[in-house]
């Protein structure tokens, strides 16, 4: 793969690095009350734009074929929104006695509370040749559930309700997430043919808006003289994130391939990616809303910003291995189902 091709594929991760660097150099531009007015442009306009874009691009008809696979959906959603955050909470009780920055640890908990992403889990499932329809359904359904469940989990595990009124969180989420999503779906019905013909770059548009949100979040951090992030904590958090991903991918693989499991190898691929991936697109705007006014918001956001590229990197590296396993497993299952030839006497 040439350098230009690699840059094209990894531009979003490079973009995250670039906007954080720019925020470090000139934080005054994107701070609250600054020239960009993020309290209006980001909090309302940018977040609404992301979810209008999601509503416009989401193919509802593609999800109907996967709708009846209830056992798979239950497994993914319970693992993602119940087991994952609970396991992280238990793990953080042990880490709380270490010198790791407490706000980064809180950020790890927010990662656990996030729903699955609409993009990376689907892309990787498709790359392997797994059950893409199930991945699409669970990613989209998980995002819808996340609109309600993720703020509840954040309030439960981090107790931010003391500074942010519960009703204001949901009213803002409803106006900037649910309403734009529904409007996007309605508009899609009328311009569906045009969208199919032109194929606008929905992913790139959402990613650019997301970079703006990340930029203003870090402007707030670097403009605050009281925030100091030590390198030891950051390195440890990166190691912990990769360890969590590997452990949970292995755990979901074991559960979905056990002897009494009814899941096919293609189902297992969708389960492994959908259950362990977390949404940055929904996560960062949601943290902006739930933790509005927190001076440590950007430190809380750091683990999610690390988790997102880490899940893509790790998933991409594992694609050939998982694909090889799935193909050999499918062949083995096909052979066991074939009727045995009668033995000639």
């Amino acid at each position: 793969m040439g350098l230009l091709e690699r840059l094209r594929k990894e531009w979003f991760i490079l973009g995250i690095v670039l906007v954080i660097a720019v925020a470090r150099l000139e934080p005054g531009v994107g701070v609250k009350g600054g020239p960009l007015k993020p309290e209006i442009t980001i909090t309302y306009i940018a977040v609404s734009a992301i979810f209008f874009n999601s509503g416009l691009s989401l193919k509802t008809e593609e999800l109907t074929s996967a709708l009846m696979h209830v056992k798979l959906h239950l497994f993914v959603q319970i693992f993602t929104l119940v087991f994952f955050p609970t396991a992280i909470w238990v793990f953080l009780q042990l880490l709380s006695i270490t010198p790791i920055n407490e706000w980064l640890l809180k950020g790890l908990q927010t990662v656990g509370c996030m729903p699955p992403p609409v993009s990376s889990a689907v892309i990787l499932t498709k790359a392997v040749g797994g059950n893409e329809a199930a991945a699409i359904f669970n990613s989209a359904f998980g995002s819808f559930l996340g609109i309600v469940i993720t703020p509840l989990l954040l309030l439960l595990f981090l107790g931010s309700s003391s500074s942010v009124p519960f009703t204001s969180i949901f009213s803002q989420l409803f106006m900037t997430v649910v309403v734009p999503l529904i409007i996007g779906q309605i508009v899609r019905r009328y311009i569906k043919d045009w969208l199919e013909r032109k194929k606008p770059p929905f992913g790139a548009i959402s990613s650019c808006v997301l970079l703006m949100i990340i930029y203003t979040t870090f402007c707030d951090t670097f403009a605050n003289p009281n925030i100091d992030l030590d390198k030891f904590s950051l390195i440890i958090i990166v190691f912990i994130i990769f360890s969590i991903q590997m452990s949970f991918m292995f755990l979901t693989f074991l559960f979905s391939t056990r002897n009494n499991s009814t899941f096919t190898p293609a189902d297992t691929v969708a389960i492994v990616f959908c259950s362990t991936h977390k949404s940055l697109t929904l996560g960062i705007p949601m943290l902006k809303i739930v933790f509005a006014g927190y001076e440590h918001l950007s430190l809380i956001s750091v683990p999610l910003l690390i988790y997102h590229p880490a899940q893509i990197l790790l998933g991409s590296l594992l694609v050939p291995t998982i694909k090889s396993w799935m193909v050999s497993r499918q062949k083995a299952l096909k052979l066991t189902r074939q009727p045995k030839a009668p033995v000639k006497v």
Side-chain angles (χ1 to χ4, degrees), residues 53-335:
N53 194 43
S54 295
L56 206 57
S57 61
L58 195 65
K59 293 182 179 179
T60 316
E61 60 274 13
E62 282 187 4
L63 308 180
T64 52
S65 61
L67 192 60
M68 300 312 292
H69 209 332
V70 178
K71 190 179 175 183
L72 189 151
H73 308 328
L74 281 173
F75 182 97
V76 171
Q77 301 307 327
I78 289 171
F79 190 95
T80 308
L81 297 169
V82 179
F83 177 81
F84 202 129
T86 306
I88 295 292
W89 182 82
V90 171
F91 182 49
L92 290 181
Q93 302 314 299
L94 302 173
L95 290 179
S96 62
I97 59 172
T98 67
I100 301 172
N101 186 294
E102 65 166 311
W103 296 103
L104 287 180
L105 292 181
K106 287 180 185 291
L108 270 179
Q109 185 64 70
T110 67
V111 171
C113 298
M114 292 302 153
V118 177
S119 54
S120 60
V122 175
I123 291 165
L124 289 167
T125 301
K126 187 176 182 177
V128 173
N131 190 339
E132 190 187 351
I136 290 170
F137 178 84
N138 277 284
S139 295
F141 184 57
S143 295
F144 280 114
L145 282 180
I147 292 167
V148 176
I149 294 175
T150 294
L152 286 172
L153 291 172
L154 291 172
L155 295 172
L156 174 67
F157 288 109
L158 297 168
S160 63
S161 57
S162 57
S163 63
V164 184
F166 189 79
T167 49
S168 79
I169 292 170
F170 281 97
S171 61
Q172 192 171 340
L173 277 172
F174 184 77
M175 292 308 297
T176 58
V177 177
V178 181
V179 172
L181 204 61
I182 292 169
I183 292 172
Q185 282 280 283
I186 293 168
V187 172
R188 180 181 171 79
R189 289 183 64 185
Y190 293 98
I191 60 168
K192 185 180 169 184
D193 292 339
W194 181 85
L195 291 172
E196 293 293 328
R197 195 168 62 252
K198 295 291 184 182
K199 297 190 186 325
F202 291 115
I205 294 166
S206 285
S207 295
C208 288
V209 179
L210 199 55
L211 288 175
M212 274 182 61
I213 295 172
I214 293 166
Y215 167 69
T216 56
T217 300
F218 276 85
C219 282
D220 283 335
T221 304
F222 297 127
N224 188 334
N226 301 320
I227 291 177
D228 181 37
L229 177 58
D230 60 292
K231 287 175 183 167
F232 166 77
S233 292
L234 194 58
I235 291 166
I236 293 295
I237 288 293
V238 171
F239 174 75
I240 288 169
I241 283 170
F242 273 98
S243 301
I244 287 170
Q245 285 191 23
M246 285 296 291
S247 303
F248 283 2
M249 285 178 86
F250 184 63
L251 194 62
T252 52
F253 178 81
L254 283 181
F255 269 110
S256 58
T257 55
R258 66 192 190 281
N259 290 334
N260 61 344
S261 169
T262 56
F263 298 125
T264 66
D267 291 341
T268 295
V269 174
I271 287 168
V272 166
F273 288 127
C274 290
S275 300
T276 57
H277 280 213
K278 294 293 183 176
S279 176
L280 183 71
T281 309
L282 185 66
I284 292 294
M286 201 165 279
L287 290 181
K288 266 285 204 198
I289 295 167
V290 177
F291 295 104
Y294 267 52
E295 63 174 16
H296 295 282
L297 171 60
S298 57
L299 289 186
I300 293 173
S301 306
V302 165
L304 186 58
L305 290 169
I306 296 169
Y307 198 96
H308 178 79
Q311 71 191 10
I312 295 169
L313 177 64
L314 193 59
S316 301
L317 290 172
L318 289 172
V319 161
T321 308
I322 297 173
K323 190 169 189 172
S324 175
W325 168 82
M326 189 190 76
V327 171
S328 61
R329 182 81 172 149
Q330 284 173 332
K331 282 179 181 175
L333 288 170
K334 205 171 183 181
L335 286 171

